[in-house]
């Protein structure tokens, strides 16, 4: 392809979800020439707990979308709970430390992601959608990326040149990008995620309960438009048993319906909340998901969101961690823009990579590891009994767990959420 046909950018963001759109907004606001490559058309539903912690509102304000999100989101979530067997507990959610006093809320990803991506386009980012990256190669002064159109009718190919790539893709999708994982052989312990929306459910509007059931866990929350969102994870081997248990004769039940039947049979609180409720749209599924910490690098490629690391969804912090990781990276990139755009930016890029990884680990590693421990305790019936018994004895432990998971802890390591460079 001729050089004049190659579009040139300062940063190419792969993935238009919360992490990718947030990164694009932050950089475009500071004068970077940014493109986002997103493989799916929006709006699109996505498996996700949909909860946005109180600690994320200052960042959403800096991104210019807080009021738009508040206008569409569900009610304030002021209580955290536990539904397991016949146990139904509730305890106060940690009080927000943000000066605005906003509590956490939930909003469907089909709405939230569209708001963020539209904002990225408004501040100058180029949105290429639906396109996917097929190849990344090193070149003099940057990277060459080949992208392919994914609209189902055409298969156009374009070439882009960029100084850096921000990898904001999913964590379980294999592909040509160095930050993407390889395919793993199936294993009984693989986790699959499911999600459903319900109308006319009886879940208290201020409550977000953790659901504990054999070989899985989940959560429920009042989200936008009067819906209740139920999201969960379950082991592959348990999923197969559920399909046989809830099927008819020799025909296994559909996966989503079987999982929801298993949860309702295991949790009195879910049965009561969904009594008389109607399913809104089809069940969604994804996976196998791969919670954990990913390798950082190589040079010029910076992972954010799930591409950097993913906590077990049991802590309901996926959206917040995605946006927070984008902030940590873009604060460094914006502050050192001149060095990155210089003829030889290798030293600056290496320094940014080191500082970003250190800041990222300081904010998220303990949370990710503790979430993994708690998830495995809840998925094993024998240890889950201990978790439930401890919570029954002292419901305040639910408040402590919510605070520890990040629902009242501001982002650490950033110079300021009110950074004048990023917020202008």
């Amino acid at each position: 392809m001729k050089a004049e046909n190659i579009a040139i950018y300062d940063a190419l963001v792969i993935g238009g979800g919360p992490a990718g759109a947030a990164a694009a907004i932050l950089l475009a606001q500071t004068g970077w020439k940014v493109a986002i490559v997103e493989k799916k058309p929006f709006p699109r539903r996505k498996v996700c707990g949909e909860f946005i912690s109180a600690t994320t509102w200052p960042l959403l304000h800096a991104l210019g979308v807080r009021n738009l999100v508040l206008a569409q989101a569900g009610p304030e979530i002021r209580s955290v709970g536990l539904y397991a067997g016949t146990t139904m507990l509730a305890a106060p959610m940690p009080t927000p430390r943000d000066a605005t006093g906003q509590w956490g809320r939930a909003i469907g990803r089909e709405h939230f992601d569209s708001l963020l991506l539209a904002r990225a386009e408004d501040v100058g980012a180029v949105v290429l959608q639906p396109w996917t990256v097929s190849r990344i190669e090193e070149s003099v002064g940057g990277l060459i990326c080949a992208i392919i159109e994914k609209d189902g009718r055409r298969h156009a190919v374009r070439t882009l040149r960029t100084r850096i790539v921000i990898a904001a893709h999913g964590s379980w999708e294999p592909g040509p990008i160095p930050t993407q994982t390889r395919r793993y052989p199936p294993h009984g312990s693989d986790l699959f995620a499911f999600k459903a929306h319900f109308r006319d459910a009886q879940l208290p509007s201020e409550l977000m309960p953790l659901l504990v059931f054999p070989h899985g866990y989940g959560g429920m929350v009042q989200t936008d438009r009067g819906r209740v969102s139920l999201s969960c994870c379950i082991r592959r081997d348990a999923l197969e048993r559920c399909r046989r248990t809830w099927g008819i004769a020799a025909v296994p039940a559909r996966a989503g319906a079987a999982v929801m039947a298993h949860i309702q049979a295991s949790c009195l609180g879910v049965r009561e909340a969904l009594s008389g409720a109607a399913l809104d749209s089809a069940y969604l599924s994804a996976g196998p998901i791969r919670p954990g910490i990913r390798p950082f690098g190589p040079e010029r490629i910076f992972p954010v969101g799930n591409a950097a690391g993913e906590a077990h969804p049991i802590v309901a912090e996926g959206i917040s961690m995605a946006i927070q990781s984008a902030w940590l990276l873009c604060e460094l990139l914006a502050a050192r823009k001149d060095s990155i755009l210089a003829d030889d930016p290798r030293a600056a890029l290496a320094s940014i990579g080191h500082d970003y990884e250190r800041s990222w680990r300081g904010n998220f590693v303990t949370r990710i590891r503790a979430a993994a421990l708690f998830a495995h305790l809840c998925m094993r019936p024998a240890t889950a009994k201990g978790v439930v018994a401890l919570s029954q004895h002292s419901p305040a432990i639910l408040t402590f767990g919510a605070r520890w998971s990040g629902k009242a802890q501001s982002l650490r390591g950033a110079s300021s959420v009110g950074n004048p460079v990023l917020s202008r």
Side-chain angles (χ1 to χ4, degrees):
M1 183 174 290
K2 295 181 180 180
E4 60 265 29
N5 293 328
I6 299 178
I8 301 175
Y9 297 94
D10 298 324
L12 178 66
V13 181
I14 301 175
I25 293 168
L26 293 169
L27 293 181
Q29 286 181 153
T30 62
W32 287 58
K33 187 177 181 182
V34 183
I36 301 173
V37 178
E38 166 55 47
K39 68 179 183 179
K40 296 288 187 181
F42 282 13
R44 57 96 169 87
R45 298 172 66 215
K46 190 173 180 65
V47 177
C48 175
E50 303 186 349
F51 184 70
I52 300 174
S53 291
T55 55
T56 309
W57 294 116
L59 304 185
L60 294 178
H61 175 71
L63 293 168
V65 299
R66 182 177 67 180
N67 291 340
L68 294 173
V69 175
L70 285 171
Q72 294 196 36
E76 295 179 335
I77 303 303
R78 294 172 176 258
S79 300
V80 60
L82 175 67
Y83 289 172
T86 59
T87 298
M88 299 169 60
L89 300 174
M93 187 71 78
T95 303
R97 297 179 181 176
D98 174 27
T100 64
Q102 292 290 344
W103 293 82
R105 300 184 185 214
I107 180 172
R109 289 289 298 273
E110 65 270 33
H111 310 303
F112 184 66
D113 291 11
S114 295
L115 286 174
L116 279 174
L117 198 61
R119 173 62 178 168
E121 200 162 24
D122 287 344
V123 297
V126 174
V127 177
L128 302 169
Q129 183 185 34
W131 289 72
T132 187
V133 174
S134 62
R135 188 179 74 256
I136 296 180
E137 296 177 353
E138 291 190 20
S139 178
V140 177
L143 300 168
I144 297 292
C145 303
I147 64 173
I148 302 174
E149 196 169 16
K150 298 281 287 184
D151 71 352
R153 297 184 301 275
R154 294 170 297 183
H155 297 282
V157 178
R158 294 179 61 182
T159 302
L160 312 176
R161 182 188 296 273
T162 181
R163 294 182 181 273
I164 66 168
V165 163
I166 297 177
H169 51 73
S171 62
W172 59 81
E173 303 169 15
I177 307 165
T179 50
Q180 289 180 308
T181 60
R182 63 182 178 86
R183 290 190 182 275
Y184 293 87
H187 193 277
S189 62
D190 290 340
L191 280 183
F192 284 85
F194 291 86
K195 171 179 160 182
H197 283 131
F198 297 91
R199 295 196 177 275
D200 302 319
Q202 303 304 309
L203 182 71
S205 62
E206 294 187 348
L207 177 66
M208 184 170 67
L210 167 66
L211 316 179
V212 176
F213 52 90
H215 310 295
Y217 60 80
M220 298 179 73
V221 68
Q222 288 271 2
T223 187
D224 57 74
R225 292 161 172 74
R227 304 178 298 172
V228 162
S229 174
L230 191 160
S231 56
C232 64
C233 291
I234 188 169
R235 286 172 54 110
R236 182 194 294 270
D237 48 13
L239 173 60
E240 294 304 316
R241 290 194 296 271
C242 286
R243 296 188 65 193
R244 293 193 299 270
T245 299
W246 299 101
I248 301 175
V251 181
R254 296 180 68 88
V259 171
M260 295 302 163
H262 175 59
I263 295 172
Q264 292 193 59
S266 306
C267 299
L268 173 62
V270 178
R271 290 199 301 276
E272 292 188 354
L274 297 185
S275 176
L279 180 66
D280 184 78
S281 300
Y283 295 108
L284 295 182
S285 62
I289 67 172
R290 304 288 182 190
I293 301 166
R294 323 292 176 207
F296 278 65
E299 189 176 282
R300 293 188 182 273
I301 300 179
F302 299 93
V304 293
N306 287 353
E310 181 179 9
H312 272 264
I314 196 167
V315 296
E317 283 292 297
I319 294 175
S320 298
M321 288 175 61
I323 294 173
Q324 290 168 4
S325 68
W327 183 279
L328 291 172
L329 172 63
C330 291
E331 183 177 52
L332 294 168
L333 292 173
R336 305 180 197 179
K337 178 182 178 182
D338 291 343
S339 298
I340 296 171
L341 302 186
D343 291 337
D344 187 2
R346 287 174 293 180
L349 291 171
S351 176
I352 290 170
H354 175 269
D355 291 347
Y356 169 56
E357 182 173 359
R358 181 178 60 184
S359 183
W360 187 95
R361 288 180 175 275
N363 277 278
F364 304 127
V365 164
T366 300
R367 193 186 314 183
I368 289 173
R369 289 175 176 167
L373 173 62
F374 189 51
H376 287 294
L377 289 175
C378 288
M379 284 191 291
R380 294 185 173 97
T383 52
K385 291 180 181 178
V387 172
V388 173
L390 182 60
S391 301
Q392 289 173 325
H393 178 72
S394 179
I397 198 170
L398 299 174
T399 304
F400 172 80
R403 179 179 293 109
W404 153 82
S405 70
K407 293 175 175 56
Q409 180 175 298
S410 300
L411 190 62
R412 303 186 308 276
S415 63
S416 171
V417 170
N419 186 316
V421 176
L422 290 182
S423 304
R424 69 185 181 186

